Amino acid sequence: MRSYLDHNATSPLRPEARAAMIAALDAGGNASSVHREGQLARSVVETARAQVAALVGASADMVTFTSGGTEANALALKGAGVERLVISAIEHPSVIETARAAGAEVHVAPVTAEGVLDLDRLDRVLARDKRRCLVSVMMANNETGIVQPLAQVVELARQHQALVHTDAVQGAGKTPIAWPILGVDMMSLSGHKLGAAQGVGALVARDGLTLTPLIEGGGQEKKRRAGTENICGIAGFGAAADAARVRDEAARLTVLRDRFEAGLVDLAPDAVIFGAGLERLANTSCFAVPGLTAQLLVIALDLDGVAVSSGSACSSGKVGRSHVLQAMGVAQDLAAGAIRVSLGWSTREVDIERALAALKTVIERSARRAA
Ligand code: PLP
């Protein structure tokens, strides 16, 4: 038996998503064809579009399916055709690197030591220049789970006539989202963070927004994203979004996360929990135990059947320096020990107890070595 506590990397496939994907694979058909098989495929895509829209309180016609969160971020940042891009220092690399490559002037707004966007600095950056601007701030950070002040970002952006995009890849399905209240112009989503398969996502964009496609060809997705739709992936995304909306698990996950953090502090009273006391995603705990490296902890836990990530693991799987913790001013030796435990729909109490038992073994072993 293994305990998978790395939902922020990829959440295991939900049974509802699996069933919807198998049904879509068996049905076949191209959603652009006029015959019955084509119409069935079209109805799978449109059902999923409505399900994804419902998760964030948007309407179905605002949803453009993409190959994932990375492509949704790229469509937002490059497609908006602005002259200036303002991003936060803790964005996912898919926003940071896309901004650099977009051909616009890029400003990086800092975060406070607590890991929250510095709104005064954002205000000053926006006031400096009146050219067409897009502000991109994530809903919640993937490493720490710290929720960003989006309502205030939208307010400031409106004062300066800037557009707002939010990368809600980690927020969606973990925190309730009401599109009309949020007031952003665009929002990125990713299927595999919700329990769908990898390789499918969406950009939600408000009515009337002009977006230049990244991929040209056929007229799919209202000419915003050419290419025959990934019907199987889209069907799973819709089913996972529906399950996440119907079974809001924030309260259950908060109890499990708090139990984990209480147990951690019992084992290591000097443990630092990043963002403790701040508004965080219910499922995420990012911490470091002084003196223990992330590599040691990740490997020891893995050998004991518990899957977690290093807080600074990059896409190559190597442990690098976390730009998020660096932006928060966390000392390098402490940041080098950062571990991310992220829970989700499949997490049970037994997983938390197993993680704590495994941590106990490593902490006691290293204390014996140090003695
Ligand atoms: N944005 C955030 C905040 C993420 O955590 C991730 C994935 O780790 C992405 C974007 C990229 O999403 P995808 O893997 O679907 O391309």
Side-chain angles (χ1 to χ4, degrees):
M1 259 291 272
R2 296 215 15 117
S3 289
Y4 182 83
L5 300 178
D6 202 9
H7 283 250
N8 287 12
T10 282
S11 198
L13 193 65
R14 290 182 188 257
E16 298 89 341
R18 184 187 162 81
M21 289 173 74
I22 289 171
L25 280 175
D26 285 343
N30 183 322
S32 299
S33 303
V34 291
H35 45 61
R36 189 182 305 168
E37 288 80 358
Q39 289 167 29
L40 280 174
R42 169 59 52 204
S43 83
V44 169
V45 172
E46 298 315 320
T47 299
R49 201 186 304 282
Q51 289 169 318
V52 169
L55 178 67
V56 298
S59 63
D61 56 1
M62 297 176 181
V63 175
T64 300
F65 286 115
T66 64
S67 65
T70 298
E71 187 190 323
N73 285 339
L75 179 56
L77 269 63
K78 291 185 171 171
V82 293
E83 292 159 288
R84 298 176 76 214
L85 285 167
V86 180
I87 63 172
S88 86
I90 57 165
E91 293 303 307
H92 186 265
S94 58
V95 166
I96 297 177
E97 298 307 323
T98 300
R100 285 193 187 130
E105 197 176 300
V106 181
H107 299 270
V108 179
V111 294
T112 63
E114 281 76 42
V116 178
L117 177 69
D118 185 333
L119 291 163
D120 287 339
R121 294 285 293 275
L122 175 66
D123 191 20
R124 269 183 271 152
V125 168
L126 288 174
R128 240 183 3 231
D129 192 327
K130 291 290 167 207
R131 282 176 296 164
R132 228 173 105 69
C133 179
L134 170 71
V135 181
S136 181
V137 174
M138 65 201 332
M139 184 167 282
N141 185 261
N142 45 302
E143 290 183 27
T144 61
I146 295 171
V147 172
Q148 297 303 308
L150 265 188
Q152 290 95 316
V153 170
V154 170
E155 206 180 304
L156 284 176
R158 293 290 167 256
Q159 285 167 20
H160 298 285
Q161 286 84 47
L163 296 172
V164 182
H165 162 253
T166 187
D167 174 346
V169 162
Q170 295 292 348
K174 296 172 190 159
T175 183
I177 302 177
W179 172 275
I181 294 171
L182 205 56
V184 299
D185 298 286
M186 291 180 279
M187 176 189 289
S188 297
L189 305 172
S190 171
H192 72 109
K193 311 291 182 177
L194 292 170
Q198 292 148 343
V200 63
L203 182 70
V204 185
R206 81 164 153 74
D207 272 353
L209 194 73
T210 307
L211 273 178
T212 306
L214 298 174
I215 302 171
E216 281 142 20
Q220 292 93 347
E221 297 297 287
K222 293 202 205 126
K223 297 203 167 150
R224 283 196 166 161
R225 207 276 184 179
T228 302
E229 297 87 344
N230 168 12
I231 298 196
C232 164
I234 288 171
F237 187 15
D242 196 50
R245 182 179 58 83
V246 173
R247 283 188 232 113
D248 177 3
E249 294 218 278
R252 187 181 77 84
L253 295 180
T254 304
V255 171
L256 291 178
R257 199 263 318 268
D258 290 353
R259 161 74 194 116
F260 172 75
E261 292 186 347
L264 169 68
V265 173
D266 271 352
L267 291 170
D270 56 345
V272 176
I273 299 169
F274 302 106
L278 293 178
E279 194 186 349
R280 276 184 299 161
L281 294 176
N283 79 317
T284 308
S285 182
C286 182
F287 66 92
V289 179
L292 295 183
T293 66
Q295 213 157 0
L296 173 94
L297 280 170
V298 170
I299 293 170
L301 264 64
D302 188 39
L303 291 174
D304 271 353
V306 181
V308 301
S309 265
S310 141
S312 50
C314 57
S315 50
S316 65
K318 292 194 195 109
V319 177
R321 256 181 107 179
S322 157
H323 72 285
V324 174
L325 298 180
Q326 205 178 338
M328 291 164 65
V330 175
Q332 208 180 325
D333 54 343
L334 189 63
I339 293 292
R340 179 186 67 191
V341 167
S342 52
L343 324 179
W345 69 269
S346 60
T347 310
R348 300 284 166 261
E349 222 172 296
V350 62
D351 302 309
I352 302 300
E353 297 312 324
R354 189 176 294 133
L356 287 171
L359 270 174
K360 185 168 190 276
T361 310
V362 202
I363 290 169
E364 288 179 352
R365 196 189 305 139
S366 63
R368 276 199 301 278
R369 282 214 187 107

